[in-house]
Amino acid sequence: MNPMTDLGLRFVRRPGPGGRAANLAAVGATAIVALLVTFLIAGSLGISHRSDRIGWRGADRADATNAIGQLHEVDGKKLDGKPLLQLELATLKPNNQPPPPGLDHTPTPGEVFVSPEVAKHWASLKGEFGGMDKPTGVITDKGLSSPEELVLIHGVDKIDSKYPHYVDSWQTTVMDSRMAALLIAVAFGIILVLFPILSLVGQAAGVAAKRREHRLAALRLAGSTRSQVLWLSAVEQAVLGLAGTVVGLLGYVVLTPLIAQIPLGGGRWFVSDIAPPWWAVLIVLAAVPVLSVISALIGLGRVSITPLGVVRGQTRKSTTALRLLPLLVGPIALASLGMGAAVVPLLIAIGFAALAVRILGPFAVQVIGKMLANLANGPVALLAGRRLADDPKAAFRPVAALVLSGFVTGFISVFMPGGDDDPSWNDMRIGVALLMGLVFLTAAASTAAGAVGTALDQAGPAKALRRSGVPLSVIERSARVAALVPVVGVGLPVVGFGALCGLALSGGQIFTEGNSGILLLVGQIVVGLVLVAAAGMAGAPVLRKASAN
């Protein structure tokens, strides 16, 4: 075995002081990433599966001269106060094609096929269909969108409608309009949650970054080559990333029955719809550890180039005001495109606006840190300010996902769906709640991992301060201030920037009805402060133990 590979595995097994907490935090953060990525992939595929089963119901691509049948939806039908989809089906010409999905044969005039939920209420419907004691057949799962879907398919001689739908195959997989809208919404949701997830990947790889920097820098000074220390770090991070990915996949399997209860797209899900296929599992198993390794290697560039500077504690190069420029691109692009633009350009513009926030963050933290240090009237503010100003990238990393969640909240607050009972609006409401849940879960995991990583990174300076007589309470308070300041100083303006991007896209129009947008913004602030407070409590024991004499 390669000596560096063996050494990397040894560091995983015996990580040294504070290393176990760092490894657990890295594995936990990676597990959350793997779970979320699996959920997004499986959910997108599940929508496609549902659409394939019911797409034939809305098919209208055939010409009247070569169509094998007609369809007509009876408007306004309800069952126990819930919308009932009643389809009239007329066969125009004999054919040998398979019947519609979920049916054992194509309905002939007078025959009625119903979903299992409708079959339970057949007594209240049979009067409309000649008093049949029971329906002709029950539609199986292969022909339903969800387990509780209310569907009735009635065979008729002819369609009494001026505009029937002509069908050339009962097995057509035309994308259902509601499912298509859901897929578009999912695409926007993925873009909005993508950067918080990537920040969580970086946080998982960056836990105890300074501890790893000093260890690898010592190896470089002892004669190890640049490629050797990079390989050592890659092995260590790959093992942690793979372990976290396996835990995340197992967590998704356990949670699948609960996820299937989400009433999105007209009802709950069949578990088989959201079970990830084998190839998706392989993609997650490969992609998440690889991203984790890449993120770790990017963070170690300084070690491989200037190991002496790391050992001496040399200050990192300051960020510049050029990071402000990307902020202009997102709103301008969104304002130029408008609501009627194609989906892909809109996704790119929104993604660039979120990326601009991530680019700006360290510069904003540096500016706030210098102001805090210059205006400090006590040791707590001074220590916190110097910590932020000296290494703004490391200070921003733990709260990056939380700050980006503020961008998502601000953007969504402009488009909060109102109180309409239309199914599409219900989907939007559930989708917004689901999106914000994913974003807050990502932010919580990143903040928790960041608290542990920051505590370990600051163990050396904290130990030196304690030896010089600085009380532990002062060190801990400065750490809490250093964690809170980026959230308040950067996070709150980012919420406003997200709302600005939303207004740019909508042309200045606010679609939100009532006070739901305000409640969402207040919720973002409350959740952010709670997460920072919880992270401070989680990081304090680690800092106390790691900096002990």
Side-chain angles (χ1 to χ4, degrees):
M1 181 183 293
N2 185 303
M4 285 297 172
T5 301
D6 181 63
L7 188 58
L9 296 176
R10 185 181 297 273
F11 282 150
V12 174
R13 294 193 303 267
R14 300 175 183 176
R20 190 176 301 278
N23 287 351
L24 289 176
V27 169
T30 307
I32 296 295
V33 172
L35 191 152
L36 293 178
V37 171
T38 306
F39 172 73
L40 293 174
I41 294 175
S44 302
L45 293 174
I47 293 174
S48 298
H49 295 159
R50 294 173 77 168
S51 179
D52 288 343
R53 294 196 297 267
I54 66 174
W56 70 275
R57 302 176 190 171
D60 189 24
R61 294 182 176 179
D63 186 85
T65 58
N66 59 18
I68 65 170
Q70 291 177 317
L71 289 174
H72 172 64
E73 181 179 340
V74 181
D75 296 329
K77 302 295 291 187
K78 288 185 177 295
L79 181 63
D80 284 353
K82 299 178 181 178
L84 169 66
L85 176 62
Q86 180 174 326
L87 290 175
E88 292 182 343
L89 182 152
T91 302
L92 298 180
K93 62 178 67 173
N95 62 85
N96 296 321
Q97 291 199 15
L103 280 65
D104 57 14
H105 66 273
T106 304
T108 59
E111 291 187 326
V112 180
F113 284 80
V114 299
S115 63
E117 288 299 312
V118 175
K120 296 177 183 178
H121 301 83
W122 180 250
S124 63
L125 292 171
K126 65 180 183 179
E128 299 181 30
F129 303 97
M132 299 170 61
D133 291 334
K134 61 180 182 179
T136 307
V138 177
I139 306 171
T140 67
D141 294 354
K142 295 181 179 180
L144 298 174
S145 172
S146 67
E148 70 265 30
E149 190 179 22
L150 302 177
V151 182
L152 184 151
I153 302 175
H154 181 207
V156 297
D157 289 312
K158 62 178 182 179
I159 301 293
D160 294 326
S161 173
K162 293 182 179 180
Y163 305 104
H165 287 188
Y166 289 96
V167 184
D168 59 2
S169 171
W170 302 122
Q171 297 290 322
T172 184
T173 55
V174 175
M175 176 62 73
D176 177 76
S177 58
R178 187 172 182 180
M179 297 298 112
L182 269 180
L183 276 177
I184 293 174
V186 167
F188 278 97
I190 289 175
I191 289 296
L192 288 173
V193 78
L194 176 64
F195 287 95
I197 288 179
L198 290 177
S199 291
L200 179 54
V201 172
Q203 186 57 60
V207 174
K210 283 192 175 63
R211 182 178 61 86
R212 180 178 292 174
E213 275 189 352
H214 282 271
R215 186 175 64 199
L216 297 181
L219 289 173
R220 282 282 280 133
L221 293 174
S224 298
T225 65
R226 180 174 181 269
S227 60
Q228 284 178 323
V229 297
L230 291 179
W231 177 255
L232 169 63
S233 179
V235 169
E236 184 180 0
Q237 191 61 45
V239 173
L240 297 176
L242 183 60
T245 303
V246 171
V247 172
L249 286 169
L250 293 176
Y252 181 82
V253 171
V254 172
L255 294 175
T256 298
L258 294 177
I259 296 173
Q261 302 302 312
I262 300 173
L264 191 63
R268 295 178 291 113
W269 301 72
F270 293 108
V271 172
S272 58
D273 281 341
I274 55 175
W278 63 268
W279 55 266
V281 172
L282 291 181
I283 288 176
V284 175
L285 279 173
V288 174
V290 167
L291 287 175
S292 181
V293 169
I294 291 174
S295 181
L297 295 183
I298 290 174
L300 290 174
R302 191 169 72 120
V303 176
S304 61
I305 297 172
T306 58
L308 185 59
V310 174
V311 175
R312 293 172 58 190
Q314 190 172 333
T315 304
R316 294 175 182 265
K317 184 179 179 181
S318 298
T319 57
T320 66
L322 292 176
R323 291 173 177 259
L324 292 170
L325 295 179
L327 283 180
L328 303 175
V329 179
I332 293 174
L334 290 170
S336 302
L337 292 170
M339 297 283 288
V343 174
V344 174
L346 284 178
L347 293 176
I348 293 174
I350 294 172
F352 198 92
L355 178 61
V357 172
R358 184 63 180 85
I359 294 173
L360 172 70
F363 173 73
V365 169
Q366 178 180 272
V367 172
I368 294 172
K370 289 180 178 179
M371 292 175 58
L372 183 63
N374 292 334
L375 299 176
N377 57 1
V380 172
L382 179 62
L383 287 174
R386 292 312 312 167
R387 181 178 299 174
L388 297 176
D390 288 345
D391 198 351
K393 292 181 180 179
F396 181 71
R397 188 191 306 121
V399 298
L402 184 56
V403 170
L404 285 164
S405 72
F407 171 81
V408 177
T409 300
F411 188 89
I412 292 293
S413 67
V414 179
F415 302 98
M416 288 290 288
D420 198 325
D421 290 332
D422 182 85
S424 297
W425 285 111
N426 288 330
D427 286 346
M428 285 189 65
R429 280 190 287 271
I430 295 171
V432 167
L434 189 59
L435 172 64
M436 296 314 302
L438 295 178
V439 170
F440 286 146
L441 175 61
T442 306
S446 181
T447 306
V452 175
T454 300
L456 293 173
D457 289 348
Q458 293 299 320
K463 183 181 294 186
L465 289 171
R466 292 179 69 176
R467 287 175 175 174
S468 64
V470 178
L472 178 61
S473 60
V474 172
I475 298 173
E476 291 181 342
R477 285 167 56 197
S478 69
R480 287 195 292 270
V481 172
L484 179 63
V485 167
V487 174
V488 177
V490 183
L492 292 181
V494 165
V495 172
F497 177 71
L500 174 64
C501 289
L503 289 172
L505 177 60
S506 68
Q509 182 178 357
I510 298 177
F511 290 93
T512 301
E513 298 178 7
N515 56 2
S516 56
I518 299 297
L519 292 176
L520 182 63
L521 295 176
V522 172
Q524 167 69 32
I525 296 172
V526 172
V527 168
L529 294 177
V530 168
L531 288 179
V532 172
M537 290 187 291
V542 178
L543 178 63
R544 194 177 303 121
K545 182 177 180 180
S547 64
N549 292 320

